[in-house]
PDB file of all heavy atoms in Angstrom:
ATOM      1  N   LYS D 139       4.260  34.056 -19.007  1.00 97.00           N
ATOM      2  CA  LYS D 139       3.821  34.195 -17.605  1.00 97.00           C
ATOM      3  C   LYS D 139       2.346  33.745 -17.502  1.00 97.00           C
ATOM      4  O   LYS D 139       1.572  33.808 -18.526  1.00 97.00           O
ATOM      5  CB  LYS D 139       3.992  35.630 -17.113  1.00 97.00           C
ATOM      6  CG  LYS D 139       5.514  35.956 -17.059  1.00 97.00           C
ATOM      7  CD  LYS D 139       5.716  37.352 -16.482  1.00 97.00           C
ATOM      8  CE  LYS D 139       7.161  37.611 -16.371  1.00 97.00           C
ATOM      9  NZ  LYS D 139       7.538  38.963 -15.807  1.00 97.00           N
ATOM     10  N   PRO D 140       1.942  33.331 -16.300  1.00 96.00           N
ATOM     11  CA  PRO D 140       0.587  32.870 -16.169  1.00 96.00           C
ATOM     12  C   PRO D 140      -0.549  33.790 -16.677  1.00 96.00           C
ATOM     13  O   PRO D 140      -1.595  33.331 -17.177  1.00 96.00           O
ATOM     14  CB  PRO D 140       0.453  32.698 -14.582  1.00 96.00           C
ATOM     15  CG  PRO D 140       1.870  32.363 -14.242  1.00 96.00           C
ATOM     16  CD  PRO D 140       2.755  33.182 -15.069  1.00 96.00           C
ATOM     17  N   THR D 141      -0.292  35.113 -16.540  1.00 95.00           N
ATOM     18  CA  THR D 141      -1.367  36.020 -17.033  1.00 95.00           C
ATOM     19  C   THR D 141      -1.586  35.937 -18.512  1.00 95.00           C
ATOM     20  O   THR D 141      -2.598  36.337 -19.055  1.00 95.00           O
ATOM     21  CB  THR D 141      -0.900  37.481 -16.687  1.00 95.00           C
ATOM     22  OG1 THR D 141       0.438  37.739 -17.136  1.00 95.00           O
ATOM     23  CG2 THR D 141      -0.998  37.756 -15.235  1.00 95.00           C
ATOM     24  N   ALA D 142      -0.592  35.335 -19.244  1.00 97.00           N
ATOM     25  CA  ALA D 142      -0.798  35.239 -20.702  1.00 97.00           C
ATOM     26  C   ALA D 142      -1.232  33.806 -21.122  1.00 97.00           C
ATOM     27  O   ALA D 142      -1.230  33.463 -22.308  1.00 97.00           O
ATOM     28  CB  ALA D 142       0.611  35.497 -21.350  1.00 97.00           C
ATOM     29  N   LEU D 143      -1.614  32.981 -20.183  1.00 96.00           N
ATOM     30  CA  LEU D 143      -2.038  31.630 -20.356  1.00 96.00           C
ATOM     31  C   LEU D 143      -3.527  31.441 -20.036  1.00 96.00           C
ATOM     32  O   LEU D 143      -4.068  32.168 -19.152  1.00 96.00           O
ATOM     33  CB  LEU D 143      -1.289  30.621 -19.538  1.00 96.00           C
ATOM     34  CG  LEU D 143       0.287  30.581 -19.687  1.00 96.00           C
ATOM     35  CD1 LEU D 143       0.858  29.671 -18.697  1.00 96.00           C
ATOM     36  CD2 LEU D 143       0.600  30.137 -21.097  1.00 96.00           C
ATOM     37  N   SER D 144      -4.214  30.540 -20.810  1.00 95.00           N
ATOM     38  CA  SER D 144      -5.590  30.257 -20.526  1.00 95.00           C
ATOM     39  C   SER D 144      -5.656  29.451 -19.207  1.00 95.00           C
ATOM     40  O   SER D 144      -4.581  28.920 -18.689  1.00 95.00           O
ATOM     41  CB  SER D 144      -6.189  29.431 -21.581  1.00 95.00           C
ATOM     42  OG  SER D 144      -5.624  28.160 -21.663  1.00 95.00           O
ATOM     43  N   SER D 145      -6.851  29.261 -18.616  1.00 95.00           N
ATOM     44  CA  SER D 145      -7.014  28.520 -17.415  1.00 95.00           C
ATOM     45  C   SER D 145      -6.501  27.009 -17.608  1.00 95.00           C
ATOM     46  O   SER D 145      -5.859  26.391 -16.799  1.00 95.00           O
ATOM     47  CB  SER D 145      -8.412  28.496 -16.928  1.00 95.00           C
ATOM     48  OG  SER D 145      -8.862  29.775 -16.531  1.00 95.00           O
ATOM     49  N   GLY D 146      -6.878  26.410 -18.777  1.00 95.00           N
ATOM     50  CA  GLY D 146      -6.401  25.122 -19.083  1.00 95.00           C
ATOM     51  C   GLY D 146      -4.916  24.987 -19.183  1.00 95.00           C
ATOM     52  O   GLY D 146      -4.304  24.011 -18.727  1.00 95.00           O
ATOM     53  N   GLN D 147      -4.235  26.002 -19.821  1.00 96.00           N
ATOM     54  CA  GLN D 147      -2.788  25.955 -19.936  1.00 96.00           C
ATOM     55  C   GLN D 147      -2.124  26.175 -18.482  1.00 96.00           C
ATOM     56  O   GLN D 147      -1.157  25.445 -18.244  1.00 96.00           O
ATOM     57  CB  GLN D 147      -2.351  27.071 -20.813  1.00 96.00           C
ATOM     58  CG  GLN D 147      -2.655  26.800 -22.240  1.00 96.00           C
ATOM     59  CD  GLN D 147      -2.560  28.064 -23.225  1.00 96.00           C
ATOM     60  OE1 GLN D 147      -2.455  29.166 -22.754  1.00 96.00           O
ATOM     61  NE2 GLN D 147      -2.391  27.791 -24.545  1.00 96.00           N
ATOM     62  N   LYS D 148      -2.776  26.956 -17.664  1.00 96.00           N
ATOM     63  CA  LYS D 148      -2.175  27.132 -16.335  1.00 96.00           C
ATOM     64  C   LYS D 148      -2.244  25.827 -15.614  1.00 96.00           C
ATOM     65  O   LYS D 148      -1.344  25.481 -14.851  1.00 96.00           O
ATOM     66  CB  LYS D 148      -3.012  28.174 -15.537  1.00 96.00           C
ATOM     67  CG  LYS D 148      -2.819  29.632 -16.048  1.00 96.00           C
ATOM     68  CD  LYS D 148      -3.735  30.552 -15.284  1.00 96.00           C
ATOM     69  CE  LYS D 148      -3.791  31.967 -15.831  1.00 96.00           C
ATOM     70  NZ  LYS D 148      -4.696  32.885 -15.115  1.00 96.00           N
ATOM     71  N   GLN D 149      -3.332  25.069 -15.796  1.00 95.00           N
ATOM     72  CA  GLN D 149      -3.421  23.853 -15.022  1.00 95.00           C
ATOM     73  C   GLN D 149      -2.471  22.812 -15.488  1.00 95.00           C
ATOM     74  O   GLN D 149      -1.891  21.992 -14.797  1.00 95.00           O
ATOM     75  CB  GLN D 149      -4.877  23.262 -15.088  1.00 95.00           C
ATOM     76  CG  GLN D 149      -5.125  22.124 -14.093  1.00 95.00           C
ATOM     77  CD  GLN D 149      -4.896  22.517 -12.694  1.00 95.00           C
ATOM     78  OE1 GLN D 149      -3.867  22.834 -12.213  1.00 95.00           O
ATOM     79  NE2 GLN D 149      -6.016  22.502 -11.937  1.00 95.00           N
ATOM     80  N   ARG D 150      -2.171  22.865 -16.838  1.00 96.00           N
ATOM     81  CA  ARG D 150      -1.140  21.906 -17.371  1.00 96.00           C
ATOM     82  C   ARG D 150       0.200  22.300 -16.951  1.00 96.00           C
ATOM     83  O   ARG D 150       1.089  21.397 -16.690  1.00 96.00           O
ATOM     84  CB  ARG D 150      -1.248  21.896 -18.911  1.00 96.00           C
ATOM     85  CG  ARG D 150      -2.361  21.144 -19.451  1.00 96.00           C
ATOM     86  CD  ARG D 150      -2.319  20.932 -20.957  1.00 96.00           C
ATOM     87  NE  ARG D 150      -2.882  22.124 -21.655  1.00 96.00           N
ATOM     88  CZ  ARG D 150      -2.562  22.470 -22.931  1.00 96.00           C
ATOM     89  NH1 ARG D 150      -1.723  21.666 -23.659  1.00 96.00           N
ATOM     90  NH2 ARG D 150      -3.101  23.493 -23.484  1.00 96.00           N
ATOM     91  N   VAL D 151       0.474  23.590 -16.795  1.00 96.00           N
ATOM     92  CA  VAL D 151       1.784  24.044 -16.174  1.00 96.00           C
ATOM     93  C   VAL D 151       1.885  23.464 -14.658  1.00 96.00           C
ATOM     94  O   VAL D 151       2.909  22.891 -14.208  1.00 96.00           O
ATOM     95  CB  VAL D 151       1.953  25.565 -16.111  1.00 96.00           C
ATOM     96  CG1 VAL D 151       3.119  26.034 -15.239  1.00 96.00           C
ATOM     97  CG2 VAL D 151       1.966  26.160 -17.489  1.00 96.00           C
ATOM     98  N   ALA D 152       0.713  23.572 -13.904  1.00 96.00           N
ATOM     99  CA  ALA D 152       0.714  23.063 -12.513  1.00 96.00           C
ATOM    100  C   ALA D 152       0.995  21.496 -12.525  1.00 96.00           C
ATOM    101  O   ALA D 152       1.630  21.068 -11.657  1.00 96.00           O
ATOM    102  CB  ALA D 152      -0.628  23.436 -11.889  1.00 96.00           C
TER     103      ALA D 152
END
Side-chain angles (χ1 to χ4, degrees):
K139 292 184 178 179
T141 51
L143 299 174
S144 69
S145 293
Q147 289 168 341
K148 289 177 187 176
Q149 194 61 296
R150 282 189 279 159
V151 172

